Amino acid sequence: MKRKCVIVLAILVLMQVLCGVQSAPKAQTAGEKKPTILVESKNFFKNNPITEIYEYLYGECPVEFVALPSNGAEREAKIEEIRAEIEAGGGPDAFILAAHAPNSTCTSALFPDMEQSMAGGAFLPLDTYIKSSLYLDPSAQVQPVFNAGKVNGE
């Protein structure tokens, strides 16, 4: 249940990032890299209404979606690569992943124990971001969902 709540919270944050922009994004310069969001499959961003609405209103999507491969061996190799990047201080900027991919034969996930990863400091707290958000009012949301993702009160 807690993992599902974290996934729902991640989707809310994605919607905030993509739809909560008041003006068109500035053009990317050659040296700038788009923030990346790691998703479970290409089906997430292909024909996704959130990105389609954003692109209709503002033009090019300001983030790049990176999908995990569906092939078991390729997926496992990509997960190991991303884990190494994260341990080195890099990796994707955000994640929208199932704790266990539906109908998947893959045996591992990027974060096998989400609570342990959170307690270990793998994720930055979103408290400041949420409090300063113009469009996301935590008091208007379902509190158990917000509380499910908290570790040490953050």
Side-chain angles (χ1 to χ4, degrees):
M1 177 66 183
K2 194 168 194 173
R3 287 184 177 104
K4 288 181 183 177
C5 292
V6 170
I7 292 168
V8 170
L9 182 60
I11 291 172
L12 288 172
V13 170
L14 173 64
M15 289 174 62
Q16 170 72 17
V17 169
L18 292 179
C19 297
V21 179
Q22 290 182 331
S23 61
K26 64 177 183 150
Q28 297 270 324
T29 61
E32 287 184 33
K33 183 182 170 213
K34 285 183 175 182
T36 57
I37 299 176
L38 182 68
V39 295
E40 198 65 51
S41 72
K42 290 181 182 177
N43 293 336
F44 179 84
F45 55 89
K46 187 178 181 182
N47 300 321
N48 183 322
I50 298 171
T51 54
E52 286 179 0
I53 290 169
Y54 184 91
E55 289 176 351
Y56 174 78
L57 293 173
Y58 303 109
E60 184 181 355
C61 188
V63 298
E64 177 183 353
F65 291 99
V66 177
L68 287 173
S70 58
N71 176 295
E74 291 176 22
R75 178 185 171 93
E76 301 300 322
K78 186 67 173 178
I79 285 173
E80 289 302 317
E81 177 187 323
I82 293 170
R83 278 191 192 126
E85 288 178 17
I86 291 169
E87 290 173 5
D93 299 293
F95 307 90
I96 301 176
L97 301 172
H100 300 285
N103 305 321
S104 174
T105 57
C106 301
T107 56
S108 69
L110 182 60
F111 304 105
D113 186 337
M114 187 66 70
E115 291 179 59
Q116 183 181 11
S117 298
M118 290 169 64
F123 306 104
L124 295 173
L126 294 173
D127 298 271
T128 304
Y129 172 78
I130 291 171
K131 287 176 185 171
S132 64
S133 171
L134 296 174
Y135 303 99
L136 185 61
D137 179 11
S139 64
Q141 307 301 321
V142 179
Q143 290 308 305
V145 173
F146 273 78
N147 294 335
K150 290 186 178 185
V151 173
N152 298 327
E154 292 188 313

